[in-house]
């Protein structure tokens, strides 16, 4: 039988929540007047600490051993996640938010390609069609990007997309690994790597420290934990497609906080991305309901046939005895 509907629905809900949490990154980055390494250090420290607390609450104190001995799968997931996080903040500071956002939207295609090459996991026609629509939205947005966009920021965005896409496939491959522990470890790795380069680390006020704590707890800890838990319940392509909701929402938070209205091409592209994700989720729900109903009818028919066969056998035996 296929994956239970409740499990699939939980995966969709978790990845959607992760996309919402992740989308707040530009908002927090704009609020902080520090170099990217200082932001990465404090954000990773707060994020890793909260995830560790969640790990203890969910699995007990013994689960902290998984931070020290994460295993091959856990270490690989943590490393890829750390690369993505380290690339993300500098990219937001080096180029426009929408440049980063539209590149993030290409993640479903990268993840689906990696899953096909590594796991032999073929996407459904519905997810492929939704990906094409989302790609059209990305193309419209990218088509309006100014020629002077910073190359370094774009390159870091591409590195982040590749790392997170690979992480999505690894999460799917190593389901036995504690992904919550891997999420905590990735934050601590990011903080450790950032420490030697964090020039403003000793000049953080109490107000900014509170913002950094919210940044680490909301955007990193909850977002990464939700995504790692949810993506193991979904095909890699679909998990990444749902995560592209982050793209238009990034522009939304910038508009709410700083009254910056995205260009019309970005709004049109974002609408296509959202439409593709909603259509894929709705189509998946209908398909699951139809499959479940068909399975119930088939099981009921088999039970009825088995019952009739039993009565026939009993009648046959009775006749033979007479």
């Amino acid at each position: 039988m296929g994956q239970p509907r409740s499990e699939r629905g939980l995966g969709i809900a978790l990845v959607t929540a992760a996309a919402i949490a992740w989308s707040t990154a530009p908002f927090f980055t704009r609020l902080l007047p520090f170099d990217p390494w200082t932001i990465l250090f404090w954000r990773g420290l707060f994020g890793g600490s909260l995830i560790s607390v969640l790990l203890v609450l969910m699995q007990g104190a013994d689960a902290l051993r998984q931070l020290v001995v994460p295993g091959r799968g856990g270490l690989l997931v943590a490393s890829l996640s750390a690369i993505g996080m380290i690339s993300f903040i500098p990219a937001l500071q080096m180029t426009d938010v929408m440049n980063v956002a539209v590149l993030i939207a290409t993640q479903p295609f990268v993840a689906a390609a990696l899953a096909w090459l590594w796991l032999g996991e073929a996407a459904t026609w519905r997810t492929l069609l939704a990906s094409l629509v989302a790609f059209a939205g990305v193309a419209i947005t990218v088509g309006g990007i100014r020629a002077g966009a910073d190359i370094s920021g774009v390159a870091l965005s591409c590195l982040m997309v590749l790392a997170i896409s690979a992480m999505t496939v690894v999460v799917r491959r190593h389901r036995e690994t504690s992904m919550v522990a891997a999420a905590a470890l990735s934050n601590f790795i990011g903080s450790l790597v950032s420490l030697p380069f964090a020039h403003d680390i000793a000049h953080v006020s109490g107000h900014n420290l509170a913002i950094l704590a919210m940044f680490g707890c909301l955007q990193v800890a909850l977002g990464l934990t939700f995504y790692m838990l949810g993506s193991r319940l979904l095909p890699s392509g679909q998990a990444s497609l749902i995560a592209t909701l982050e793209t238009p929402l990034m522009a939304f938070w910038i508009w709410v906080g700083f009254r910056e209205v995205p260009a019309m091409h970005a709004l049109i592209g974002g609408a296509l991305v959202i439409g593709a994700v909603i259509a894929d989720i709705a189509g998946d729900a209908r398909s699951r309901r139809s499959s479940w109903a068909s399975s119930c009818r088939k099981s009921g028919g088999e039970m009825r046939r088995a019952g009739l066969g039993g009565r026939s056998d009993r009648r046959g035996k009775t006749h033979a005895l007479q």
Side-chain angles (χ1 to χ4, degrees):
M1 295 182 66
Q3 189 179 28
R5 289 192 303 163
S6 58
E7 186 176 284
R8 188 76 167 240
L10 177 61
I12 290 173
L14 287 171
V15 175
T16 301
I20 295 172
W22 278 345
S23 69
T24 61
F27 176 81
F28 284 112
T29 302
R30 288 287 186 89
L31 291 176
L32 296 166
F34 303 120
D35 63 271
W37 298 108
T38 296
I39 296 174
L40 284 166
F41 171 79
W42 286 110
R43 189 186 73 154
L45 186 62
F46 283 117
S49 298
L50 178 57
I51 296 174
S52 298
V53 171
L54 294 174
L55 182 65
V56 172
L57 291 176
M58 289 188 297
Q59 302 180 24
D62 290 341
L64 291 177
R65 296 177 183 174
Q66 298 165 357
L67 287 174
V68 181
V69 188
R72 181 181 178 183
L75 184 59
L76 183 55
V77 168
S79 299
L80 290 169
S81 176
I83 292 172
M85 289 190 296
I86 291 172
S87 304
F88 188 35
I89 298 303
L92 286 173
Q93 293 186 337
M94 290 179 179
T95 188
D96 291 343
V97 170
M98 285 309 299
N99 291 2
V100 180
V102 294
L103 287 168
I104 289 175
T106 64
Q107 186 184 332
F109 320 117
V110 180
L114 291 176
W116 175 65
L117 291 172
W118 190 8
L119 306 179
E121 184 180 275
T124 65
W125 67 268
R126 183 185 59 255
T127 298
L128 289 174
L129 181 60
S131 296
L132 288 175
V133 175
F135 179 76
V138 172
I140 291 173
T141 306
V142 171
I145 289 178
R146 66 180 187 272
D150 186 65
I151 298 300
S152 298
V154 172
L156 285 171
S157 299
C158 292
L159 177 60
M160 177 196 63
V161 168
L162 181 60
I164 298 301
S165 297
M167 184 197 76
T168 301
V169 179
V170 174
V171 166
R172 187 78 171 169
R173 175 66 177 81
H174 295 277
R175 295 191 181 189
E176 74 287 351
T177 301
S178 174
M179 295 307 167
V180 179
L185 182 59
S186 69
N187 278 269
F188 291 134
I189 291 174
S191 288
L192 185 62
V193 171
S194 303
L195 183 57
F197 310 102
H199 302 301
D200 298 327
I201 193 171
H203 304 92
V204 178
S205 65
H207 172 72
N208 287 327
L209 197 63
I211 295 175
L212 285 164
M214 292 176 61
F215 197 177
C217 294
L218 173 62
Q219 194 268 338
V220 177
L222 294 183
L224 198 55
T225 300
F226 287 157
Y227 187 75
M228 286 188 173
L229 291 175
S231 61
R232 69 195 304 173
L233 303 177
L234 299 172
S236 301
Q238 187 183 29
S240 294
L241 182 63
I242 296 172
T244 57
L245 283 171
E246 177 186 4
T247 299
L249 287 175
M250 287 171 71
F252 172 75
W253 295 122
I254 290 295
W255 173 75
V256 169
F258 303 96
R259 296 301 175 187
E260 294 183 14
V261 180
M264 183 56 66
H265 62 83
L267 294 175
I268 295 173
L272 284 175
V273 172
I274 290 180
V277 173
I278 293 176
D280 183 64
I281 294 173
D284 179 77
R286 286 194 300 268
S287 176
R288 292 283 162 179
R289 284 196 298 268
S290 176
S291 177
W292 181 77
S294 176
S295 177
C296 288
R297 288 194 297 269
K298 182 178 179 181
S299 298
E302 291 177 349
M303 290 176 65
R304 286 192 295 272
R305 286 193 295 272
L308 289 174
R311 287 192 294 271
S312 176
D313 290 343
R314 287 193 295 270
R315 284 196 298 267
K317 290 180 179 178
T318 302
H319 179 75
L321 289 172
Q322 291 175 344

